[in-house]
Amino acid sequence: MFDLKIQNAKTITGERLSLAVKDGKIVKISEQIEEPAKEILTLATDEYLSAGWIDDHVHCFEEMNLYYDYPDAIGVEKGVTTVIDAGTTGSENIGRFYELAQAAKTNVYALVNISKFGIVEQDELADLTKVQSDLVRQALTEFPEFIVGIKARMSKTVIGENGIHPLLMAKTIQKENDNLPLMVHIGSNPPELSDILKTMTAKDVLTHCFNGKPNGILDQQTDKIKDFVWEAYHKGVIFDIGHGTDSFNFHVAETARQEGLICHSISTDIYIRNRQNGPVYDMATTLEKLHLVGYSWTEILDKITRVPAENFGLSNKGHLSVGYDTDLTIFKLKQGEKTLTDSNGNQRIATELIEPTQTIIGGKVYQVPATVGTH
């Protein structure tokens, strides 16, 4: 007997299916499944099913002061099955984060900050004595299933007088540890974005890719994507949204889309303040903004399932296929009007909205509060 059977499901492409679960894994997918199950979930006619949504840039170590939140408040309660904390903790405090994360319903992973205390203070890379490769290696050895990469924040308020040097150190640490994934935060200069992208290599993740700052990807004089940005894009640097409080601009995203620079992955950079006060609120709201600037729902779902799973080596997640973890998101698409605000206060009206209704993690079904996506 199956543990769970989901019937009357449909994907965003219109495929009809039923799905059976045993021991937290998808064990059968068919148009109709007759075998019995301990629990049966029948979807409503207006509900869709996708692989579980993955947010690859969040901040959810609750014992921090600057950027923090609670995994389930930004995960299972928002239709998100998996979150990756993007460098909130470093080698000295990631052990405590791991302990707390084990109590969450949401799947929690981490990128370890190359600064040993993480983001205890805004300028964690101003003092390079805090960057110690042996401590990073020790953390990777101690928490190999939890840590899925490293994080370096490369913007003016973080690096002090150190220029591009912290990123060079991060690249060295990366090479010393089997070229594990590296996420790089960008913002105001120094360092110059051109130097950052020149240093990054294929499969490195550039987050905050559509920020509206002068040091961003858009030349504010010509209103075109900068040439060196295209060079990085074509060499395989991964462009990630990382919306955040100050890092998503409608015009930049729309201009990039029109020129053919398509983001690879969609993430929120959510933490308690921009969750409660905006402009982020939740993953669904971020998805609505990408849809508004021209991304199809099919594209969008791929960028929060398959793509982040592959980027960070989550080999059992991101696909609606037999053998994968039963991490699923059930959602509705609705017509309506909703005012969306980017990080610079620009507003637009969305008329097609996405609303997660249920989150399934490891085969367990959780209801999403009705307020999600209504901001």
Side-chain angles (χ1 to χ4, degrees):
M1 179 180 288
F2 299 125
D3 296 328
L4 171 67
K5 181 166 64 174
I6 301 172
Q7 54 192 23
N8 195 42
K10 64 179 176 181
T11 67
I12 195 67
T13 59
E15 179 188 1
R16 298 279 178 174
L17 55 88
S18 292
L19 183 150
V21 176
K22 184 76 174 177
D23 298 326
K25 298 288 185 181
I26 300 172
V27 294
K28 185 174 182 179
I29 296 176
S30 182
E31 187 172 339
Q32 191 167 345
I33 297 174
E34 301 295 342
E35 296 96 317
K38 297 174 185 176
E39 181 179 2
I40 297 175
L41 179 62
T42 302
L43 301 197
T45 55
D46 60 346
E47 287 183 316
Y48 293 87
L49 178 71
S50 74
W53 295 357
I54 300 171
D55 192 342
D56 71 17
H57 185 162
V58 308
H59 294 282
C60 63
F61 176 42
E62 61 200 69
E63 294 184 353
M64 285 299 213
N65 293 318
L66 283 176
Y67 305 114
Y68 71 94
D69 214 322
Y70 305 86
D72 289 339
I74 59 178
V76 63
E77 295 174 16
K78 302 291 188 179
V80 174
T81 60
T82 299
V83 298
I84 300 177
D85 183 279
T88 310
T89 56
S91 54
E92 295 285 2
N93 48 10
I94 199 164
R96 176 58 178 158
F97 179 32
Y98 173 79
E99 290 176 6
L100 292 173
Q102 300 317 294
K105 299 169 185 173
T106 309
N107 301 306
V108 183
Y109 297 92
L111 304 180
V112 62
N113 198 307
I114 62 169
S115 179
K116 65 181 181 178
F117 297 116
I119 315 175
V120 173
E121 298 174 333
Q122 188 67 257
D123 61 347
E124 76 265 18
L125 293 178
D127 178 2
L128 294 184
T129 64
K130 296 177 182 176
V131 182
Q132 298 179 27
S133 59
D134 58 330
L135 293 181
V136 175
R137 179 180 286 276
Q138 181 179 327
L140 290 166
T141 301
E142 192 169 352
F143 306 104
E145 303 300 321
F146 183 57
I147 300 174
V148 294
I150 59 175
K151 174 77 178 292
R153 299 201 306 148
M154 295 299 296
S155 58
K156 183 178 181 179
T157 57
V158 179
I159 63 160
E161 302 298 320
N162 289 321
I164 200 69
H165 194 60
L167 182 54
L168 296 175
M169 298 175 78
K171 291 298 291 180
T172 298
I173 291 170
Q174 179 188 41
K175 291 175 184 175
E176 291 173 348
N177 292 280
D178 301 318
N179 285 314
L180 78 172
L182 165 66
M183 177 181 280
V184 180
H185 148 123
I186 60 169
S188 299
N189 58 327
E192 299 298 326
L193 181 60
S194 56
D195 292 331
I196 293 172
L197 289 175
K198 190 183 301 181
T199 306
M200 295 176 71
T201 54
K203 297 186 178 180
D204 289 345
V205 179
L206 181 84
T207 194
H208 308 315
C209 67
F210 293 155
N211 75 62
K213 300 171 184 178
N215 196 41
I217 69 170
L218 186 70
D219 186 321
Q220 298 185 351
Q221 301 301 314
T222 65
D223 203 35
K224 293 184 179 298
I225 301 302
K226 297 169 182 175
D227 289 342
F228 66 80
V229 172
W230 281 112
E231 292 174 11
Y233 188 75
H234 291 312
K235 77 178 177 181
V237 170
I238 294 165
F239 281 57
D240 176 72
I241 295 296
H243 186 307
T245 303
D246 198 32
S247 297
F248 178 80
N249 180 277
F250 280 130
H251 179 67
V252 175
E254 193 167 48
T255 302
R257 172 79 188 185
Q258 290 169 352
E259 289 193 33
L261 193 154
I262 311 299
C263 73
H264 297 95
S265 54
I266 300 172
S267 62
T268 61
D269 185 21
I270 198 169
Y271 63 101
I272 195 165
R273 290 192 295 278
N274 66 32
R275 169 170 64 85
Q276 294 179 340
N277 305 322
V280 177
Y281 296 113
D282 49 45
M283 174 63 90
T285 302
T286 300
L287 303 185
E288 289 163 351
K289 294 175 185 180
L290 271 295
H291 185 63
L292 192 150
V293 300
Y295 289 77
S296 71
W297 290 119
T298 301
E299 283 181 291
I300 285 169
L301 291 170
D302 189 54
K303 297 175 189 303
I304 57 168
T305 55
R306 180 190 64 84
V307 174
E310 291 180 3
N311 289 345
F312 292 101
L314 306 180
S315 58
N316 292 321
K317 303 187 186 298
H319 292 268
L320 198 61
S321 302
V322 170
Y324 282 79
D325 293 345
T326 309
D327 294 342
L328 309 167
T329 301
I330 298 168
F331 62 95
K332 296 180 180 180
L333 296 178
K334 292 186 170 183
Q335 300 301 310
E337 284 199 357
K338 178 177 172 182
T339 301
L340 300 177
T341 306
D342 71 9
S343 296
N344 302 114
N346 303 300
Q347 294 189 328
R348 297 191 181 184
I349 304 296
T351 57
E352 192 168 6
L353 313 176
I354 190 166
E355 178 185 293
T357 57
Q358 295 174 90
T359 312
I360 302 175
I361 300 176
K364 295 183 179 180
V365 182
Y366 304 94
Q367 298 297 314
V368 175
T371 56
V372 173
T374 60
H375 306 283

